Amino acid sequence: MDAEVRAEKLRKEYATLQRVSAAPLLTEPSTPDPIGYYPDYNALAMSALPGKPLRHLLAEHMSAWNPRLLLDLKEPVRHVGSWLRELHTLADDDTDTFEADSLLEFCEAQVIRISNQRIPWLPPDYLTKFERVAQEIISKQPEIQLATTFCHGDYKSHNIWIADGRIQVLDFGNSGTDIPMVDVCSFWVELECSKWEHLNSARELGQLQDAFLDGCSVDHQNNPLFELVAARYFLLRLANGSDTFPQVRRRKALEARVLWHCRKRLLDLLQRYA
């Protein structure tokens, strides 16, 4: 990355961290305290975080013998959703109506990556049908559903720390203006893929998904926009996995199961709305 571009990216992330850390979002503080940014070292300094990343907590509570241990995280995950809902209320000077082009361009890039692999994960005409379905879904959404706001941009469990039930969020390098569903689906799809990796814990992970959506105040049942944005992340997971799949050894069967279910969700979207 060019030095000037890198410096500007760090400056923006530092400014965003200052802004969010000053906002009363569910917990005080809800982000690490920004200390400074140092473009020469490609570094952003911030205060240490107490607790552990949610991803580590999920792994620690994932038990083959007692999957119900995961339910100890139900309330913290509900707070993760509530925090995100409050983040989306922050005023953003760039608020506008969502345009489909950026979503379609991203999805097109992932489909091309997938189609370049030797395994035909998706049919040859998938992209054409996907674009048609996406345009149809977006055209039928009420304007309020397509209103953009400030979004985190990488709302996943490794960027969410929990200590004594308090939520702290970091890594705002991809933050910007988008529809809230982008953040919601990012976290939800991560848990969805975990269900296929840990079949014995699938029911409990599903309850965590429900708690998260309850915190967000999002109903995903019969919600075409939710399914469309979720498809963005299923495509990304399938593209990333298919890039390395032939080299996978010990986890090959497990990875194949995850990728197969991503494929199924993507094909189901076309079947449901075509």
Side-chain angles (χ1 to χ4, degrees):
M1 186 185 294
D2 179 84
E4 290 186 8
V5 175
R6 184 173 62 245
E8 179 60 16
K9 182 177 173 64
L10 279 173
R11 186 197 66 77
K12 284 186 176 180
E13 184 174 1
Y14 178 71
T16 299
L17 195 56
Q18 284 184 309
R19 175 189 174 198
V20 178
S21 65
L25 296 175
L26 201 64
T27 58
E28 285 286 357
S30 62
T31 64
D33 293 326
I35 297 172
Y37 67 99
Y38 308 94
D40 292 342
Y41 299 96
N42 192 26
L44 176 66
M46 52 192 173
S47 61
L49 288 175
K52 293 182 179 181
L54 178 56
R55 179 167 294 180
H56 290 185
L57 292 173
L58 288 168
E60 289 174 2
H61 286 71
M62 204 85 67
S63 167
W65 308 110
N66 186 10
R68 292 191 64 81
L69 283 175
L70 276 170
L71 299 184
D72 291 346
L73 298 175
K74 193 170 180 179
E75 282 309 306
V77 169
R78 193 186 310 276
H79 290 316
V80 168
S82 301
W83 189 92
L84 183 62
R85 186 185 70 240
E86 294 192 22
L87 178 74
H88 291 155
T89 65
L90 289 182
D92 196 303
D93 295 336
D94 297 326
T95 298
D96 202 352
T97 301
F98 172 72
E99 297 291 341
D101 289 349
S102 59
L103 173 66
L104 294 177
E105 287 172 8
F106 179 89
C107 291
E108 179 181 4
Q110 307 318 309
V111 172
I112 291 172
R113 287 175 60 197
I114 295 165
S115 64
N116 286 335
Q117 306 303 319
R118 63 181 180 84
I119 300 175
W121 294 101
L122 296 173
D125 61 347
Y126 183 83
L127 181 59
T128 302
K129 291 181 177 179
F130 177 84
E131 289 177 340
R132 186 163 60 244
V133 166
Q135 294 285 8
E136 181 74 10
I137 289 174
I138 291 169
S139 69
K140 292 181 178 179
Q141 295 303 305
E143 191 171 320
I144 192 171
Q145 292 293 328
L146 299 177
T148 61
T149 187
F150 177 76
C151 290
H152 182 275
D154 191 20
Y155 202 63
K156 292 194 170 72
S157 61
H158 63 280
N159 288 328
I160 302 166
W161 287 56
I162 296 179
D164 300 323
R166 296 173 61 191
I167 308 300
Q168 289 199 304
V169 181
L170 69 157
D171 193 358
F172 288 83
N174 294 314
S175 63
T177 302
D178 217 322
I179 55 174
M181 205 67 80
V182 167
D183 282 342
V184 173
C185 289
S186 176
F187 186 83
W188 186 90
V189 169
E190 182 185 1
L191 291 182
E192 184 71 6
C193 290
S194 292
K195 286 162 62 176
W196 304 328
E197 289 188 83
H198 307 280
L199 293 180
N200 64 307
S201 302
R203 182 168 56 182
E204 288 73 21
L205 286 166
Q207 292 184 51
L208 295 188
Q209 287 176 300
D210 291 342
F212 169 69
L213 292 178
D214 182 56
C216 292
S217 298
V218 170
D219 182 6
H220 76 298
Q221 299 292 337
N222 301 313
N223 188 333
L225 184 62
F226 180 94
E227 293 186 58
L228 176 62
V229 178
R232 173 192 193 275
Y233 293 103
F234 286 127
L235 278 170
L236 179 61
R237 181 66 178 84
L238 182 55
N240 288 340
S242 61
D243 277 348
T244 59
F245 182 70
Q247 287 79 45
V248 174
R249 294 280 188 261
R250 294 168 59 189
R251 287 171 47 90
K252 191 167 185 177
L254 180 60
E255 181 69 0
R257 184 168 68 208
V258 175
L259 299 183
W260 183 262
H261 280 281
C262 287
R263 173 186 182 274
K264 184 178 184 303
R265 293 297 296 250
L266 292 166
L267 295 178
D268 286 347
L269 174 72
L270 298 192
Q271 207 168 37
R272 190 171 297 114
Y273 296 106

